[in-house]
Amino acid sequence: MKMYDVAVCGGGFAGISAALAAAREGKKVILFEKEYMLGGLGTAGLVTIYLPLCDGFGHQVSFGIAEELLKLSITYGAEKKYPENWLDGVGTKTEKDKRYEVQYNAQLFSILAEKLLLENDVDILYGSYVIDVAIDNNRINMLFVQNKSGKTAFGVRSVVDATGDCDIAEFSKIPTETFKQGNVLAAWYYFTDSSGYHLQIVGASDVPEAERTGKELKPLIDKRFSGLDGEEISQMMHLSHKKTLEHWLKKRESDQNAVISTIATIPQIRMTRKIVGEYELKHTEMHTYFEDSIGMVSNWKKRGPIYEVPFRTLYNKKVKNLIVAGRCTSVNETLWDVMRVIPCCAVTGQAAGTAAAMTDDFSTLNVSELQKKLQSNGVILHERDIL
Ligand SMILES: Cc1cc2nc3c(=O)[nH]c(=O)nc-3n(C[C@H](O)[C@H](O)[C@H](O)COP(=O)(O)OP(=O)(O)OC[C@H]3O[C@@H](n4cnc5c(N)ncnc54)[C@H](O)[C@@H]3O)c2cc1C
C-alpha cells in the first residue's frame, strides 16, 4: 500500500493551496481530484473571478498563497481587471465600485496550478474519487479511492478535506452542518462572438436570509438545491444547461457569430456541507483578535470588515488527523457566504496544509509554531499588523 504524509482530498483553490503548503514543508503529498483538472469551481465550474484580497480601504488583508495564486492566475494577463492596479483608488470610491479583482482564464489557470504542484513534487491523482475512510483510534489511517484502476487504499498520516462538500468529514462521522437555505440555480458559461471571448453570468447571486432586504434579484427558478443528492444534482445540471441554451439562443438573435465556447463540468453550487469545528466563526466577529489566527479574510460584499480566522475553525478533535479547508470551514450560515470565496479558500488551504505537514493530531498542535511557519511564508495573522 502506498503511504503519504499528507493526503489532500479535492483540488479546488483550497486543495491546491493545502497541497502546495504541505509540499513546501518537505512532506510526501498526494492530491486526489475526481475531475481531470485543478481549480474546482474556480475552473471546471467557470467561476473565474478572483475576489479582492483587500478591505476596500487601502489595506491588503489576505497574503501568502492567496496572493501567489492571484498572481499565478494572471501570469499571461487577465481577462478583466478592476481597477487596473493593486489597491488602486480604494477608499475613495462608492460601495458600488469594484475593489481590485481579476477575471482569469480557467483552463490556463488549471494548467499553471498543475505545473506548480508538480514542480513542488505533489503527486496528483486525477479521476480519483475518495469514497471512504478507515478509522482506527480516532485517526484516519486509510483513504479508499475509486478510479480507473478500481478501488485502492492509500495509507495516510494526516488528511486535508478540501472536497468543498466535507465528504471526508462525513465519512469520518465528524459532526457537520448542511446549508439550510439551499442553493439557487446558476448557469455561468463562456461564449465567443464578434467582439471576442466572454464570461456570461446567468443566475442571481444569493443573499443569506439574515441579510435579506426584499430587493434581491429574482432567482432563475424558485427551486433550491442542497448539492448533496446525486439525482438532485443531475436535475440541477439539466436545468442549468436548459437555461444556458435559452440564454444563448436569445443572444444569437442579435449576433449570428455568437457561439457557446465552454460550459461548466461541475455543478455551480455555492454551499453544501461544513464541519462543526472546535470554534465556529460568526459574521459579527469582524475586527476581533484571535490568538490562534491563521490569517485574515475580507468581506467581498462589503468594504471594511476584516476577519481573523481561528485555527480551531479547521478541525474537530473527534478525528485527530483530519483538517478541513475552503468551503468546509466552520463558520456560521451568514459568514459562510463570505468564507466560501476563492481568496478565503486559499487562506484556509495554506493553513490546513502547513498544519497537516506538522502533525497527525491537530488538537495538540503547537499553534504558535504553525503561526511562525505561516508568517515566514508571507502570511500576516492579525489586523493590528496591517493598520
Ligand atoms: C455560481 C457561483 C458563483 C461564484 N462566484 C464567485 C466569484 O465571483 N468569486 C469567488 O472568489 N468565488 C465565487 N464563488 C465561490 C468559489 O468559486 C468557491 O466557493 C471556491 O472556489 C471553492 O473552493 P474549494 O476549493 O473550497 O472547493 P471546490 O472549488 O468545490 O473544490 C473542491 C474540489 O474537490 C473535488 N472533489 C469533491 N469531492 C471529491 C471527492 N470525494 N474525491 C475527490 N475529489 C473531490 C471537486 O471535483 C473539486 O475540484 C462562486 C461559486 C458559485 C457556485
Side-chain angles (χ1 to χ4, degrees):
M1 182 171 64
K2 280 198 175 165
M3 279 293 305
Y4 282 88
D5 296 322
V6 178
V8 177
C9 305
F13 274 77
I16 293 168
S17 308
L20 185 59
R24 283 179 174 160
E25 293 300 318
K27 298 297 172 188
K28 193 168 175 224
V29 180
I30 187 160
L31 183 150
F32 300 110
E33 169 53 55
K34 67 178 172 58
E35 305 297 319
Y36 288 87
M37 68 194 294
L38 294 178
L41 276 167
T43 57
L46 299 185
V47 172
T48 51
I49 302 169
Y50 210 117
L51 286 168
L53 300 186
C54 68
D55 69 347
F57 290 113
H59 309 108
Q60 185 178 344
V61 172
S62 302
F63 296 83
I65 290 179
E67 182 178 344
E68 184 178 350
L69 293 185
L70 164 71
K71 289 178 176 158
L72 184 75
S73 76
I74 52 169
T75 311
Y76 298 98
E79 286 181 354
K80 272 190 187 151
K81 232 187 210 183
Y82 322 85
E84 193 47 38
N85 296 307
W86 183 248
L87 298 180
D88 251 9
V90 285
T92 59
K93 299 195 168 190
T94 67
E95 282 287 328
K96 278 194 165 162
D97 287 312
K98 287 195 189 289
R99 285 134 71 183
Y100 183 85
E101 65 183 52
V102 302
Q103 187 183 308
Y104 54 89
N105 182 273
Q107 292 71 27
L108 185 55
F109 177 79
S110 75
I111 294 170
L112 295 176
E114 178 186 275
K115 182 169 175 282
L116 179 64
L117 293 197
L118 294 178
E119 282 165 359
N120 281 274
D121 294 325
V122 175
D123 285 355
I124 303 172
L125 211 55
Y126 285 136
S128 298
Y129 223 119
V130 183
I131 51 166
D132 209 352
V133 298
I135 296 196
D136 186 30
N137 206 11
N138 296 334
R139 252 173 235 281
I140 300 175
N141 51 24
M142 273 189 284
L143 289 175
F144 296 99
V145 173
Q146 183 78 39
N147 61 21
K148 270 288 170 196
S149 314
K151 184 174 159 184
T152 311
F154 289 82
V156 291
R157 198 177 62 95
S158 58
V159 180
V160 180
D161 185 344
T163 60
D165 300 326
C166 258
D167 283 4
I168 316 306
E170 184 70 5
F171 300 149
S172 308
K173 304 203 167 38
I174 278 182
T176 56
E177 278 174 353
T178 52
F179 182 41
K180 293 182 200 72
Q181 194 173 321
N183 293 273
V184 292
L185 184 68
W188 294 26
Y189 71 98
Y190 270 82
F191 70 96
T192 311
D193 67 5
S194 308
S195 64
Y197 179 62
H198 310 281
L199 171 63
Q200 179 65 59
I201 294 177
V202 182
S205 74
D206 208 6
V207 179
E209 248 144 37
E211 293 179 350
R212 286 186 174 262
T213 61
K215 291 189 182 148
E216 288 74 30
L217 293 173
K218 213 177 138 12
L220 285 175
I221 54 168
D222 288 336
K223 186 171 165 38
R224 286 177 175 267
F225 303 88
S226 72
L228 294 170
D229 175 300
E231 282 183 22
E232 180 220 55
I233 294 174
S234 294
Q235 197 198 8
M236 195 199 109
M237 291 306 275
H238 304 157
L239 286 166
S240 171
H241 295 158
K242 182 169 174 270
K243 291 291 171 192
T244 300
L245 182 63
E246 285 170 8
H247 195 276
W248 170 74
L249 283 172
K250 230 183 217 150
K251 192 182 286 299
R252 193 166 159 269
E253 284 169 13
S254 54
D255 186 348
Q256 284 299 311
N257 291 322
V259 291
I260 298 173
S261 354
T262 324
I263 57 170
T265 51
I266 59 175
Q268 293 170 335
I269 291 181
R270 290 177 170 89
M271 289 166 277
T272 55
R273 188 161 51 204
K274 57 185 165 67
I275 59 155
V276 175
E278 291 303 314
Y279 190 82
E280 183 188 79
L281 187 62
K282 291 153 206 73
H283 66 288
T284 48
E285 291 178 301
M286 58 192 85
H287 312 300
T288 303
Y289 175 88
F290 285 102
E291 185 139 18
D292 64 336
S293 171
I294 49 83
M296 290 176 285
V297 299
S298 58
N299 184 337
W300 63 276
K301 298 188 282 190
K302 210 170 173 187
R303 288 165 190 265
I306 295 175
Y307 295 91
E308 296 189 7
V309 183
F311 180 56
R312 290 161 293 154
T313 58
L314 302 182
Y315 67 91
N316 180 307
K317 61 185 176 202
K318 210 170 158 212
V319 174
K320 293 180 184 332
N321 63 344
L322 177 63
I323 191 160
V324 305
R327 295 193 284 137
C328 309
T329 303
S330 179
V331 290
N332 73 356
E333 190 119 338
T334 307
L335 192 61
W336 204 354
D337 200 36
V338 171
M339 281 301 287
R340 70 183 170 85
V341 302
I342 291 171
C344 311
C345 292
V347 168
T348 52
Q350 179 169 8
T354 308
M358 294 171 68
T359 187
D360 60 359
D361 184 352
F362 295 107
S363 61
T364 61
L365 176 70
N366 181 335
V367 178
S368 62
E369 284 303 314
L370 168 66
Q371 290 172 319
K372 273 187 213 143
K373 281 185 193 287
L374 291 170
Q375 283 172 311
S376 69
N377 287 311
V379 174
I380 297 184
L381 303 170
H382 300 292
E383 187 173 353
R384 62 181 184 202
D385 296 324
I386 57 164
L387 298 181

